[in-house]
Amino acid sequence: KALFAAVEYRDNKLRVVTRLTDINPPCVYLTLDELEPYNFGGEVAWRLYVIADNTDEDQALEQLDEMLDIVLDTPGVSPADNITYVGLRVPEHNNTLPALLIKLTNTSN
């Protein structure tokens, strides 16, 4: 979350959540994907979802594109795989939310 502390979206701080139940779009949902430890370090894989607040596909894609530019301009964010358009199912919402899935990795020594 600290990675996005200074990031702004539409003149507000970009909302970043780490719990599925805290999602309130537009926001970024950051979750641990896998942890691969080894003797003096390891690799951590994260799933970052950029989530739009509009279910109209044209408007959602426009908003996701705008948010994606902001997220990718954040120092330290480098996708480890292709960025995928997904429908994210969230407990408090009846419909899936339009989102972009970005996989990130961090290796430490």
Side-chain angles (χ1 to χ4, degrees):
K1 279 176 85 168
L3 185 65
F4 299 101
V7 177
E8 289 193 0
Y9 171 66
R10 296 186 178 173
D11 298 324
N12 293 305
K13 292 245 185 238
L14 180 64
R15 187 174 32 252
V16 179
V17 298
T18 55
R19 294 171 44 131
L20 193 60
T21 55
D22 292 342
I23 290 176
N24 183 15
C27 66
V28 169
Y29 170 52
L30 183 62
T31 185
L32 182 65
D33 194 26
E34 62 182 17
L35 179 62
E36 185 179 318
Y38 51 87
N39 288 343
F40 298 101
E43 183 173 275
V44 179
W46 302 92
R47 284 181 288 146
L48 184 143
Y49 293 87
V50 177
I51 306 168
D53 66 351
N54 199 313
T55 55
D56 174 78
E57 189 171 25
D58 290 338
Q59 291 179 352
L61 289 173
E62 184 177 311
Q63 186 177 33
L64 289 170
D65 184 52
E66 185 179 338
M67 291 175 69
L68 180 63
D69 287 344
I70 293 166
V71 167
L72 293 180
D73 281 346
T74 304
V77 174
S78 181
D81 201 351
N82 291 330
I83 297 169
T84 308
Y85 180 68
V86 297
L88 182 64
R89 185 160 304 281
V90 180
E92 283 74 31
H93 296 284
N94 293 330
N95 299 323
T96 58
L97 298 174
L100 295 175
L101 168 59
I102 305 170
K103 292 185 179 184
L104 308 171
T105 59
N106 184 351
T107 304
S108 63
N109 297 327

